[in-house]
Amino acid sequence: MPDLHRTITRKQLATIASQIVDSYDELGGINHPDGLNLPSREQVVSILRDFLALLFPGYFGTEPILRQNVTFFVDGLLDSIYIHLRDEVEKSLFYEWKLANRDTTDCPGLADRITIDVLEQLPRIRTLVKKDVQAAYDGDPAAKSHDEVIVSYPCVQAITTYRIAHELYLRQVPLIPRIMSEHAHSQTGIDIHPGATIGESFFIDHGTGVVIGETTEIGNTVKLYQGVTLGALSFRKDTDGRIVKGGKRHPTIEDEVVIYSGATILGGSTVIGRGSVIGANVWLTSSIPPGTKVTIGTPKLEVVQRGSRTA
Amino acid sequence: MPDLHRTITRKQLATIASQIVDSYDELGGINHPDGLNLPSREQVVSILRDFLALLFPGYFGTEPILRQNVTFFVDGLLDSIYIHLRDEVEKSLFYEWKLANRDTTDCPGLADRITIDVLEQLPRIRTLVKKDVQAAYDGDPAAKSHDEVIVSYPCVQAITTYRIAHELYLRQVPLIPRIMSEHAHSQTGIDIHPGATIGESFFIDHGTGVVIGETTEIGNTVKLYQGVTLGALSFRKDTDGRIVKGGKRHPTIEDEVVIYSGATILGGSTVIGRGSVIGANVWLTSSIPPGTKVTIGTPKLEVVQRGSRTA
Amino acid sequence: MPDLHRTITRKQLATIASQIVDSYDELGGINHPDGLNLPSREQVVSILRDFLALLFPGYFGTEPILRQNVTFFVDGLLDSIYIHLRDEVEKSLFYEWKLANRDTTDCPGLADRITIDVLEQLPRIRTLVKKDVQAAYDGDPAAKSHDEVIVSYPCVQAITTYRIAHELYLRQVPLIPRIMSEHAHSQTGIDIHPGATIGESFFIDHGTGVVIGETTEIGNTVKLYQGVTLGALSFRKDTDGRIVKGGKRHPTIEDEVVIYSGATILGGSTVIGRGSVIGANVWLTSSIPPGTKVTIGTPKLEVVQRGSRTA
């Protein structure tokens, strides 16, 4: 590149840079106050990886786990999760309290208590994810073994991530639960809000496009297929026309319900009664009594003569 | 952190760790017997990357491939695939046979034969994936070149991965085909079971949410859009109420069929006749003769007065 | 492995390798002419990462950004983007012009001008993405803060990537815009063609399965939900039966339209009038006047007796 050209380019880049720096002031969007950090997405993803290795030992790591080393393996992972999770929880509390002008003295202690609290749920979560794996094996004729389910079914990552993120959500940790659920969403196409309440033996087959909203309640032994939406019907607005945050906006799904692909169920007072079956592509905004089967009507068939078809 | 607090924390973590270790015994889920490994997901993904580099030379690597080096390039990649794939196949056979209490003496030899067998399909697979790329270029007015299709269309990764995984599935290799297909699913949103049978010149546009079940049969020159499900209608249960594994559960799609976005076609005896066109969001559970066009009815239009709309 | 077996294996691998090398000649697919490289996917993804760090300072990096270092931070990132983007643009122009037998002397200069041109849009793009984040916060009752939107909403990555890729598309850079959009598609399940025209304050909730075609036009303050398709209705074919490339094939969505999950809107002359609301799973192929609400009919309910249900 000739020197003159290089000089001009330098000048143009400098102009763009100074416009961007100015826009940081005008528009906000930079972390402020200085040095105040959001929790790190990379770190949260790495913590999730450790959780999965602990919950499914021998499935996701690269090293074989020998029986005589199990205690060593568990101690090491648990320690690593404790240290890193506490740091990220502390950052996220500190961040939120600072923005709210609250005294942040108690953040480290609270972060520690929350982290220990969440880790104490791990044996219970192990029991839950074991039942989820069993539900997948029982619910899919294509499943050849429990091992195949664990190493290759996307619902295992999505639901397990939900079960961990939900514990942080219940303890009002900002940002981290949603970073976790969005990582699982990105990997699996399954979007479960950490605020949802989900019972035992939950199975999602295939899963791409599934959306489960923040205030959804799901009972035991529920099975969903790909593309199912459990969403909000409409949003209340305040007198300024702004959407009101909070409130039960998403449906309740009772025990032993099956919802086929692409079905959309909306609304905070919509209850799908126990044992019901919702067919593919159904759109529902009102409650359904127990034991009901809902399907969309037979499609209109338009038969086109061979040869005249142009599409 | 004060020392007393640290001591308490240590104690809490030790309690959690010992509960988790105990739960490994109670719940299973650890690799057993000791040292017996599942195939490694990381390794399988890396093998898939090598396959893609070999099938589409110059598209996915970082180094330019010079004509005079092609033989060197192919030899190196093929060798790498052979060594690593054989190892993973051996691990997966060993794992399954051990669980079934079969004598595992023959595992290494069988792993070797299967691996060579699969590699011998590569020239044929190259011909197939070339036709798939051509089908994408022909089928999408937005496609500017074959190169654009190869470097940016998700169906290329999904279908090519299927074509490789299918060869392993046909040779009854456990776990690896599904790990491959779920990796492609995670990357592309396209979920093709390695057991499906798919003809030449197959194109999936956009692809997110597509599900193609294990016993699906697809002819030549078929085109699918995003969100299409080729699934099972319902599952036979045995006298204990358990789902019966196996059997033809997914539809047959004949040559030159086009299926638009969100359509759901279910059932093992459902046949979509040659040259048919299935419209968006259609839900079909029975066969359709050749040359038929199926669409859902015109939607009910509810016109709301301007100003009175509140949603 | 015994020596004889090893010799046989070597021979089989050599045969496969030579068949693959031959197939490179027969089938094409190798980069030609020699040494002529396509833009690197890895490099394009890394450039995108730099763009995101620059547009959302402090959100996606691992280091805190101190106020006094902002100029240094911006200069460094901008320089890095300039150098790498210019290289990739040059490669892609060189590749296309060579294939078209055009004189490539001007490629470096043009690549430089295009790159500077695109970088000059960054302050404007910052303003746009800020409005997109605001639209997400305003449009979703589950959004707790702008920060939560930025670190965890997939639409932020998808729409921001679109806004960058669109600038390259407008300047007719081959391949790179589509590599960018497909990376975002893979990460988020949202497939926005870089050719689409999209106004301010655009929000996509959840997003998995959304498809926005090349010639779509979207006004200001539009909200989409997961699984929405803005697609082509059918393709014109030439006298040889080949699909005609180009032309307006995708719909126009006017200001303040909301489109719920799974809706499919097709066709280049289809216009969704200002302020309309399109319900979930609707399938539309014709225009809708402003202020219209469109929903699919109430589903047929089939009530099944408890106990007699077998599915």
Side-chain angles (χ1 to χ4, degrees):
Chain A
M1 199 166 22
D3 277 359
L4 176 66
H5 178 76
R6 187 171 294 142
T7 313
I8 294 172
T9 302
R10 282 291 120 213
K11 234 172 158 174
Q12 288 171 308
L13 287 177
T15 307
I16 300 168
S18 94
Q19 284 171 347
I20 293 174
V21 170
D22 288 352
S23 83
Y24 284 2
D25 282 336
E26 282 162 39
L27 293 165
I30 193 168
N31 270 356
H32 44 108
D34 294 9
L36 184 53
N37 259 330
L38 293 166
S40 148
R41 189 139 66 161
E42 283 81 3
Q43 199 55 259
V44 169
V45 168
S46 148
I47 292 166
L48 268 180
R49 210 173 296 125
D50 284 349
F51 267 119
L52 283 175
L54 196 60
L55 289 167
F56 298 100
Y59 286 94
F60 294 113
T62 46
E63 296 300 306
I65 301 162
L66 302 180
R67 196 164 287 271
Q68 64 265 34
N69 296 341
V70 159
T71 304
F72 182 76
F73 166 83
V74 170
D75 284 352
L77 265 179
L78 198 62
D79 236 55
S80 165
I81 295 175
Y82 166 66
I83 290 166
H84 295 112
L85 182 57
R86 190 190 57 191
D87 276 6
E88 298 306 319
V89 170
E90 188 178 318
K91 274 200 258 175
S92 72
L93 291 175
F94 197 73
Y95 181 80
E96 192 180 62
W97 292 22
K98 198 92 181 182
L99 284 184
N101 287 316
R102 285 177 67 179
D103 175 11
T104 58
T105 319
D106 291 343
C107 281
L110 181 57
D112 195 67
R113 279 197 303 282
I114 288 174
T115 306
I116 291 285
D117 240 41
V118 169
L119 295 182
E120 280 175 337
Q121 311 308 314
L122 278 174
R124 189 175 56 79
I125 292 176
R126 282 254 308 159
T127 313
L128 285 171
V129 298
K130 176 125 201 267
K131 287 186 181 171
D132 296 330
V133 168
Q134 183 68 43
Y137 178 75
D138 290 345
D140 181 12
K144 307 283 184 284
S145 67
H146 289 70
D147 295 322
E148 187 183 88
V149 169
I150 296 174
V151 299
S152 72
Y153 277 50
C155 61
V156 171
Q157 181 180 0
I159 297 173
T160 305
T161 299
Y162 154 77
R163 299 216 181 271
I164 295 160
H166 184 59
E167 297 300 325
L168 293 160
Y169 177 93
L170 288 177
R171 289 159 182 85
Q172 289 161 44
V173 175
L175 297 171
I176 297 174
R178 286 287 280 136
I179 294 176
M180 287 181 165
S181 62
E182 273 309 321
H183 176 69
H185 181 197
S186 169
Q187 298 287 304
T188 66
I190 299 170
D191 183 355
I192 309 178
H193 197 288
T197 306
I198 300 178
E200 298 186 348
S201 301
F202 183 46
F203 175 40
I204 304 174
D205 204 358
H206 310 294
T208 308
V210 163
V211 171
I212 300 175
E214 185 176 19
T215 63
T216 306
E217 293 174 38
I218 294 177
N220 296 325
T221 323
V222 166
K223 176 154 87 167
L224 308 184
Y225 284 81
Q226 68 274 16
V228 165
T229 294
L230 306 177
L233 180 54
S234 65
F235 306 133
R236 280 183 308 134
K237 295 188 178 180
D238 63 19
T239 47
D240 296 337
R242 285 175 208 271
I243 284 177
V244 178
K245 305 267 172 182
K248 170 104 162 91
R249 308 180 303 281
H250 307 93
T252 297
I253 313 296
E254 294 185 349
D255 296 351
E256 289 164 41
V257 166
V258 179
I259 308 178
Y260 284 95
S261 63
T264 303
I265 300 173
L266 305 178
S269 56
T270 301
V271 179
I272 305 301
R274 183 192 179 94
S276 291
V277 176
I278 310 299
N281 293 353
V282 161
W283 186 46
L284 265 184
T285 59
S286 57
S287 293
I288 292 297
T292 311
K293 191 171 171 179
V294 183
T295 55
I296 58 172
T298 316
K300 182 182 106 190
L301 300 193
E302 180 190 342
V303 182
V304 179
Q305 298 275 106
R306 287 156 155 284
S308 71
R309 193 169 52 84
T310 54
Chain B
M1 198 167 19
D3 276 358
L4 175 66
H5 178 76
R6 186 169 297 142
T7 312
I8 293 171
T9 301
R10 282 292 120 213
K11 234 170 159 175
Q12 288 170 308
L13 287 177
T15 308
I16 300 168
S18 93
Q19 285 171 345
I20 293 174
V21 170
D22 289 352
S23 83
Y24 285 0
D25 282 335
E26 283 164 41
L27 293 164
I30 194 168
N31 269 356
H32 47 108
D34 293 9
L36 184 54
N37 258 329
L38 293 166
S40 148
R41 190 140 65 161
E42 286 80 4
Q43 199 56 258
V44 169
V45 168
S46 150
I47 292 166
L48 267 180
R49 209 174 297 124
D50 284 349
F51 268 120
L52 283 175
L54 196 61
L55 289 168
F56 298 101
Y59 286 94
F60 295 113
T62 46
E63 296 299 306
I65 301 162
L66 302 182
R67 196 165 287 271
Q68 65 266 32
N69 296 340
V70 160
T71 305
F72 182 76
F73 166 82
V74 170
D75 283 352
L77 265 178
L78 197 63
D79 236 54
S80 165
I81 295 174
Y82 166 66
I83 290 166
H84 295 112
L85 183 57
R86 190 191 56 190
D87 275 6
E88 298 305 319
V89 170
E90 188 178 318
K91 274 200 258 174
S92 71
L93 291 175
F94 197 73
Y95 182 80
E96 194 181 61
W97 292 23
K98 199 90 181 180
L99 284 185
N101 287 317
R102 285 177 65 179
D103 175 10
T104 58
T105 319
D106 291 344
C107 281
L110 181 58
D112 195 67
R113 278 198 303 282
I114 288 175
T115 306
I116 290 284
D117 239 40
V118 168
L119 295 183
E120 280 176 337
Q121 312 308 314
L122 278 173
R124 189 175 56 81
I125 292 177
R126 282 255 307 157
T127 312
L128 285 171
V129 297
K130 175 123 201 269
K131 287 186 181 171
D132 296 330
V133 168
Q134 184 67 42
Y137 178 76
D138 290 344
D140 180 11
K144 305 283 184 285
S145 67
H146 289 70
D147 295 323
E148 188 183 87
V149 169
I150 296 173
V151 298
S152 72
Y153 277 50
C155 61
V156 171
Q157 182 180 358
I159 297 173
T160 304
T161 299
Y162 154 77
R163 299 215 180 272
I164 295 160
H166 183 58
E167 297 299 325
L168 293 159
Y169 177 93
L170 289 177
R171 289 159 182 84
Q172 290 161 44
V173 175
L175 297 170
I176 298 176
R178 286 288 279 138
I179 295 176
M180 288 182 165
S181 63
E182 273 309 321
H183 176 69
H185 182 196
S186 169
Q187 298 287 303
T188 67
I190 298 170
D191 183 355
I192 309 178
H193 196 289
T197 307
I198 300 178
E200 298 187 348
S201 301
F202 184 47
F203 175 39
I204 304 174
D205 204 358
H206 310 296
T208 308
V210 163
V211 171
I212 300 175
E214 184 176 20
T215 63
T216 306
E217 292 174 38
I218 295 177
N220 296 324
T221 323
V222 165
K223 176 154 86 167
L224 308 185
Y225 285 82
Q226 67 274 15
V228 165
T229 294
L230 306 177
L233 180 54
S234 67
F235 306 134
R236 279 183 308 132
K237 296 188 178 180
D238 63 19
T239 47
D240 296 337
R242 287 175 206 271
I243 284 177
V244 177
K245 306 266 172 184
K248 170 105 164 91
R249 308 180 303 279
H250 307 94
T252 297
I253 313 297
E254 294 185 348
D255 297 350
E256 288 163 42
V257 165
V258 179
I259 308 178
Y260 283 96
S261 62
T264 303
I265 301 173
L266 305 177
S269 56
T270 302
V271 179
I272 304 302
R274 181 191 179 94
S276 291
V277 176
I278 310 299
N281 293 354
V282 161
W283 186 46
L284 264 184
T285 59
S286 56
S287 293
I288 292 297
T292 311
K293 191 172 172 179
V294 183
T295 56
I296 58 173
T298 316
K300 182 181 108 191
L301 301 192
E302 180 190 342
V303 182
V304 180
Q305 298 273 105
R306 287 155 154 287
S308 71
R309 193 170 52 85
T310 54
Chain C
M1 201 166 19
D3 276 357
L4 176 67
H5 178 76
R6 186 170 296 141
T7 312
I8 293 171
T9 302
R10 282 292 119 214
K11 233 172 159 174
Q12 287 169 309
L13 286 177
T15 307
I16 300 167
S18 93
Q19 284 170 345
I20 293 174
V21 170
D22 289 350
S23 83
Y24 284 2
D25 282 334
E26 283 162 41
L27 293 163
I30 193 169
N31 269 356
H32 45 109
D34 294 9
L36 185 54
N37 259 328
L38 293 166
S40 147
R41 190 139 66 160
E42 285 81 3
Q43 199 56 259
V44 169
V45 168
S46 149
I47 292 166
L48 267 180
R49 210 175 294 126
D50 284 348
F51 267 120
L52 283 175
L54 196 61
L55 290 168
F56 298 101
Y59 286 93
F60 294 112
T62 47
E63 295 300 305
I65 300 162
L66 303 180
R67 196 164 289 271
Q68 64 265 33
N69 296 341
V70 160
T71 305
F72 182 76
F73 166 82
V74 170
D75 284 352
L77 265 179
L78 198 61
D79 237 54
S80 164
I81 295 174
Y82 166 67
I83 289 166
H84 294 112
L85 182 57
R86 192 191 54 191
D87 275 5
E88 299 305 319
V89 170
E90 189 178 316
K91 272 200 259 177
S92 71
L93 290 175
F94 197 72
Y95 182 80
E96 193 181 60
W97 293 23
K98 199 90 180 181
L99 283 184
N101 287 316
R102 283 177 66 181
D103 175 12
T104 59
T105 319
D106 290 343
C107 281
L110 181 57
D112 195 68
R113 279 198 303 282
I114 289 175
T115 306
I116 290 285
D117 239 42
V118 168
L119 294 182
E120 278 175 339
Q121 311 309 314
L122 278 173
R124 189 174 56 79
I125 292 176
R126 282 258 304 160
T127 313
L128 286 171
V129 298
K130 176 123 201 271
K131 287 186 179 171
D132 295 330
V133 168
Q134 184 67 43
Y137 178 76
D138 290 345
D140 181 12
K144 306 284 184 284
S145 67
H146 289 70
D147 295 323
E148 189 183 86
V149 169
I150 296 173
V151 299
S152 72
Y153 276 49
C155 61
V156 171
Q157 181 180 359
I159 297 173
T160 305
T161 299
Y162 155 76
R163 298 214 181 272
I164 295 160
H166 183 59
E167 297 299 325
L168 292 160
Y169 177 93
L170 289 177
R171 288 158 184 85
Q172 290 161 41
V173 175
L175 298 170
I176 297 175
R178 286 286 280 135
I179 294 176
M180 288 182 164
S181 62
E182 274 308 321
H183 176 69
H185 181 197
S186 169
Q187 298 287 305
T188 66
I190 299 170
D191 182 356
I192 310 179
H193 197 287
T197 306
I198 300 178
E200 298 186 349
S201 300
F202 183 48
F203 175 39
I204 303 174
D205 204 358
H206 310 294
T208 308
V210 163
V211 171
I212 300 175
E214 184 176 19
T215 63
T216 306
E217 292 175 39
I218 294 177
N220 296 324
T221 322
V222 165
K223 176 154 85 168
L224 308 185
Y225 284 83
Q226 68 274 16
V228 165
T229 294
L230 307 177
L233 180 53
S234 66
F235 306 133
R236 278 184 308 134
K237 296 189 179 180
D238 63 19
T239 46
D240 295 338
R242 286 175 206 271
I243 283 177
V244 178
K245 306 267 171 182
K248 171 104 162 90
R249 308 180 303 279
H250 307 92
T252 297
I253 312 297
E254 293 185 350
D255 296 350
E256 287 164 41
V257 165
V258 179
I259 308 178
Y260 284 96
S261 62
T264 302
I265 301 173
L266 305 177
S269 57
T270 302
V271 178
I272 305 301
R274 183 191 178 95
S276 290
V277 176
I278 310 299
N281 293 354
V282 162
W283 186 46
L284 264 184
T285 58
S286 56
S287 293
I288 292 297
T292 310
K293 191 171 171 179
V294 183
T295 56
I296 57 171
T298 317
K300 181 182 108 190
L301 301 192
E302 180 191 343
V303 182
V304 179
Q305 297 274 105
R306 288 156 155 285
S308 69
R309 193 169 52 82
T310 53

